[in-house]
Amino acid sequence: MDNSMGKRMQEGLNMAAHKILCWDCGREITDMYAYTCPDCGGLLTIKMDLEPLKGMSPEDLRSEPIGVWRYAPFMPVDKKNAVTIKEGGTPLYKTSALGKEIGIKDLYVKYEGANPTGSFKDRGMTIGVSHAVEIGAKIVGCASTGNTSASLAAYAAKAGLKCAVFLPSGKVAAGKLAQAMFFGAKVLSIDGNFDDALDLARKMSEMRAIYLLNSINPYRPEGQKSVLFEIMDQLNYDVPDRIILPVGNAANIWAVYKALTELMEIGWIDRMPMLTGIQAVGSMPVAKAFSEGAEDFVPEQNPETVATAIRIGNPISGRKALRAIYDTNGYSVSVTDEEIIAAQKLLGRKEGIGVEPASAASVAGARKLREMGIIDPSERVVCICTGNALKDPDTIISNCEKPISCANDLEAVRKVLGA
Ligand SMILES: *Cc1c(COP(=O)(O)O)cnc(C)c1O
Ligand SMILES: [Zn+2]
């Protein structure tokens, strides 16, 4: 790092120098459209130059409002090119009633449903779409179980880019599909599952017909690191013992891990929380690999779960997730759909927090691991709840008590309510 970079940062340009590297063989990648290594086919990752941050403290960033762009010095995009709708800055709730119920005294929920399009995907998309604009892309696209497309459609609209989204037909929750349509994306309903939709999107990207913004794109996890930076800010850098996340394509748990390694590198923290990844029983390649102590996973052919956002048989960043879990002495386990729905209701009924099923997997996992004795009652635990309840109204309507039919009559109302 030369001085001019430090100076540029002080002048407010706020982009960290960075390189794109192959995560597997270490080769540097210069093709802006590549999302795998041309030599070994490996996953890509971004190496940030954090030198300018080394003399700084978290306090130095706090003049900016909490949210993704507070952490611009950790991001590979110039802040002056930001395509933003004020993502991040989500609440961290101390959930004492929920904690009491499941036997963890210090339990927190990071509520990602409060993002602009209702999921954490906005954190990655503000960085990914800003980068797409920087490199002059005209059409962006993604395959999605729903939230990635909802988010991309919104950020593409904000940036004035065309957008194409590839969705597995009939398997996308109503709120997510509505968002992609509403923000003006071309919505393709593919006769296949998520993994099939992704194959098509990748081929379109190889032909340079779209700029691919799935989480295989290494810029997206960079934005998603911000959830960890915010948790640390909100806990005043008192590192929690454990962070629990649902795992689908596994980019988010990887992003949290990457953020932790960066904070270690600049000396802002001196230990890492145990990263704990939760999957659904019908879609559990990562949890299965963990139970066998394996570094790689075996893809599943027909993943099935009510938690559609983690209904992924062949997780793009599965190997990175396993590294994150092993390196932090974390854990991975799967939960049933019944456990997911029960946890979703518990969050709503005890805390007034509405999340979609995939998000509730983190809470279901916390409960299960407490029961198994993996989580100690004295641990400080943060569950990341990834998406808003309104994303998937149909699942809620089919799992809650039906509305009570009542005559348009005061006496009838009193009778029904017993009041
Ligand atoms: C995308 C998503 C996930 C899974 O995140 P990965 O990074 O794919 O592991 C979980 N929950 C919600 C609500 C999501 O939108
Ligand atoms: Zn390689």
Side-chain angles (χ1 to χ4, degrees), residues 54-69:
K54 283 186 181 162
M56 294 169 68
S57 82
E59 208 51 55
D60 295 323
L61 303 181
R62 286 192 181 145
S63 56
E64 292 293 321
I66 191 165
V68 175
W69 292 95

Side-chain angles (χ1 to χ4, degrees), residues 25-80:
C25 76
R27 174 194 160 151
E28 185 169 352
I29 309 294
T30 48
D31 174 1
M32 280 299 164
Y33 276 73
Y35 51 80
T36 51
C37 174
D39 283 352
C40 76
L43 297 165
L44 306 187
T45 189
I46 289 183
K47 175 75 190 131
M48 306 299 302
D49 187 336
L50 300 174
E51 217 47 48
L53 280 157
K54 283 186 181 162
M56 294 169 68
S57 82
E59 208 51 55
D60 295 323
L61 303 181
R62 286 192 181 145
S63 56
E64 292 293 321
I66 191 165
V68 175
W69 292 95
R70 170 183 280 186
Y71 311 100
F74 293 90
M75 298 296 160
V77 173
D78 197 325
K79 196 176 181 177
K80 73 177 191 307

Side-chain angles (χ1 to χ4, degrees), residues 1-2 5-6 9 15-19 46-54 72-76 222 225 258 262 265-266:
M1 168 67 46
D2 58 32
M5 184 67 200
M9 282 206 30
M15 170 174 55
H18 64 281
K19 288 181 185 156
I46 289 183
K47 175 75 190 131
M48 306 299 302
D49 187 336
L50 300 174
E51 217 47 48
L53 280 157
K54 283 186 181 162
F74 293 90
M75 298 296 160
E222 293 302 311
K225 294 186 304 193
K258 191 166 188 288
E262 291 179 1
E265 185 187 330
I266 61 172

Side-chain angles (χ1 to χ4, degrees), residues 119-121 147-148 176 215 224 246-253 309-310 356 358-359 386-387:
S119 85
F120 75 83
K121 299 296 197 297
N147 282 334
T148 297
K176 306 177 188 184
S215 59
Q224 289 172 206
V247 172
N249 268 311
N252 211 29
I253 194 167
I310 52 172
E356 66 167 284
S359 315
T386 43

Side-chain angles (χ1 to χ4, degrees), residues 126-147:
T126 184
I127 297 296
V129 171
S130 301
H131 178 69
V133 170
E134 279 184 341
I135 65 170
K138 297 281 178 273
I139 309 181
V140 291
C142 69
S144 177
T145 62
N147 282 334

Side-chain angles (χ1 to χ4, degrees), residues 70-93:
R70 170 183 280 186
Y71 311 100
F74 293 90
M75 298 296 160
V77 173
D78 197 325
K79 196 176 181 177
K80 73 177 191 307
N81 298 329
V83 177
T84 174
I85 32 185
K86 296 198 194 294
E87 44 293 318
T90 59
L92 179 73
Y93 298 117

